[in-house]
Amino acid sequence: ISIPEDKAVEITRAFLAHEDCEPAGLGARDSLRLEAGLCLYGNDIDNDTSPVEASLTWAMQKRRREEGGFPGAARIQKELSEGA
């Protein structure tokens, strides 16, 4: 959910006022992202980890993998052809 910062407290309180809603911590977020196969920036990946090293090539368009033309393309294309 993306909301304006100045509405965050108001909207959170509205959610929590509903009887079926309760706060879920970072553990819940981590469980859901792990089930979905998603990485957490700063934990699983960072500026030094490429999408190939992080097993995220599924998230890259085939055309982009093949044609490049984006920042870091040379590194990614090399890792795809030679291994990470």
Side-chain angles (χ1 to χ4, degrees):
I1 299 174
S2 180
I3 57 175
E5 182 180 357
D6 63 331
K7 299 289 185 184
V9 172
E10 174 187 347
I11 292 171
T12 300
R13 286 187 177 142
F15 275 125
L16 294 175
H18 192 281
E19 65 183 43
D20 292 334
C21 187
E22 59 184 73
L26 293 176
R29 179 210 55 197
D30 285 346
S31 294
L32 294 172
R33 76 170 176 81
L34 289 171
E35 286 179 22
L38 302 175
C39 293
L40 178 63
Y41 186 82
N43 187 40
D44 303 316
I45 58 173
D46 59 26
N47 283 337
D48 298 323
T49 310
S50 76
V52 178
E53 293 172 319
S55 299
L56 293 173
T57 53
W58 60 268
M60 301 171 60
Q61 293 177 346
K62 182 179 179 182
R63 181 186 60 80
R64 303 272 291 174
R65 290 191 309 257
E66 293 172 353
E67 296 176 13
F70 56 90
R75 175 183 173 182
I76 289 172
Q77 289 175 317
K78 181 178 180 184
E79 290 176 356
L80 286 170
S81 65
E82 298 176 11

